Amino acid sequence: QKEVEQDPGPLSVPEGAIVSLNCTYSNSAFQYFMWYRQYSRKGPELLMYTYSSGNKEDGRFTAQVDKSSKYISLFIRDSQPSDSATYLCAMSGGRGSSNTGKLIFGQGTTLQVKP
Amino acid sequence: EAQVTQNPRYLITVTGKKLTVTCSQNMNHEYMSWYRQDPGLGLRQIYYSMNVEVTDKGDVPEGYKVSRKEKRNFPLILESPSPNQTSLYFCASSHVPGQEKLFFGSGTQLSVL
């Protein structure tokens, strides 16, 4: 079993739809949870990060972490064609943990937002 | 401009011919790391470095070497490349080892024939 599981999609939605992207994980030591966006032929860029459980909102994007269920989500409201990209979840034990320095990525979900 | 610079962008080589992919960052970051990205497998960490002269293995270190002699540079060395190392490689850096914000390079597409 992989430490981090993410449905690769592809996911296709109409413009304006609410998009839900999810990851599950097995390592309870993970403390930092991140979402990266990767456009074709580009390096990933950080979109959202959350420490421990809870929600974080930034514009049209909301990140949720449920540590009890080992489940994280990224919601995109009013999706736009420019949101079409691959979204990667990532997790780490953070500073001070035995896994400091190690970052585990999900395999990424490809999203297409159609005009 | 703050950036992570990888070179070369594309590289085609043959089995067994040693190669180096360079990575340099201009943000004075402590932490640097290398990843490979393969279809269906996502990004996998090869090696990382918490600071100068400190490196450690990630999940897939076999067949790779790294060095961190200077803070800004973190080259990836393939002593004897094999076809299964054909992949898209990314270098990344972060200010602190908690990695809350990784800055990625543009990638190096490597083909080993």
Side-chain angles (χ1 to χ4, degrees):
Chain A
Q1 182 190 6
K2 292 180 183 176
E3 276 192 287
V4 179
E5 299 273 4
Q6 184 177 8
D7 186 339
L11 181 62
S12 182
V13 301
E15 184 175 354
I18 297 174
V19 176
S20 172
L21 304 168
N22 311 294
C23 288
T24 59
Y25 64 95
S26 58
N27 188 343
S28 58
F30 289 142
Q31 296 284 349
Y32 284 90
F33 303 90
M34 290 143 279
W35 287 95
Y36 285 84
R37 178 175 61 195
Q38 185 178 22
Y39 291 112
S40 181
R41 299 189 186 90
K42 301 283 188 183
E45 55 180 342
L46 182 68
L47 198 57
M48 299 281 286
Y49 78 87
T50 312
Y51 172 69
S52 196
S53 284
N55 293 359
K56 188 168 185 178
E57 189 173 321
D58 184 1
R60 297 185 293 111
F61 299 90
T62 300
Q64 287 186 352
V65 174
D66 182 348
K67 289 190 71 179
S68 62
S69 302
K70 297 189 177 68
Y71 188 88
I72 71 170
S73 300
L74 177 71
F75 297 96
I76 307 174
R77 291 184 298 281
D78 187 25
S79 56
Q80 303 294 311
S82 59
D83 294 328
S84 298
T86 296
Y87 291 81
L88 301 135
C89 63
M91 309 177 188
S92 75
R95 283 163 280 187
S97 79
S98 60
N99 289 319
T100 296
K102 287 198 168 185
L103 187 64
I104 309 296
F105 281 85
Q107 62 184 115
T109 299
T110 300
L111 170 68
Q112 184 181 25
V113 181
K114 295 183 175 179
Chain B
E1 180 189 356
Q3 59 185 4
V4 177
T5 303
Q6 286 179 238
N7 280 298
R9 186 80 172 85
Y10 300 93
L11 180 57
I12 300 174
T13 190
V14 295
T15 299
K17 186 175 182 181
K18 182 179 178 180
L19 66 92
T20 299
V21 184
T22 64
C23 175
S24 179
Q25 50 93 4
N26 63 0
M27 295 167 280
N28 201 36
H29 283 169
E30 302 282 337
Y31 177 91
M32 297 186 75
S33 185
W34 276 102
Y35 300 85
R36 60 177 289 174
Q37 188 172 34
D38 302 287
L41 296 176
L43 276 165
R44 293 180 293 168
Q45 193 174 39
I46 303 170
Y47 269 95
Y48 62 95
S49 170
M50 304 284 271
N51 211 328
V52 175
E53 301 293 359
V54 179
T55 63
D56 212 340
K57 296 177 181 179
D59 289 324
V60 289
E62 295 79 20
Y64 305 94
K65 284 176 59 177
V66 292
S67 68
R68 187 92 181 274
K69 291 183 169 53
E70 306 166 278
K71 199 173 192 178
R72 63 181 293 126
N73 295 323
F74 191 45
L76 179 69
I77 303 157
L78 284 72
E79 294 269 3
S80 183
S82 61
N84 64 12
Q85 292 178 299
T86 293
S87 186
L88 179 58
Y89 290 86
F90 288 102
C91 178
S93 71
S94 172
H95 182 56
V96 291
Q99 313 135 44
E100 292 86 29
K101 186 175 178 64
L102 275 178
F103 288 84
F104 280 84
S106 298
T108 296
Q109 180 64 58
L110 172 64
S111 295
V112 183
L113 306 177

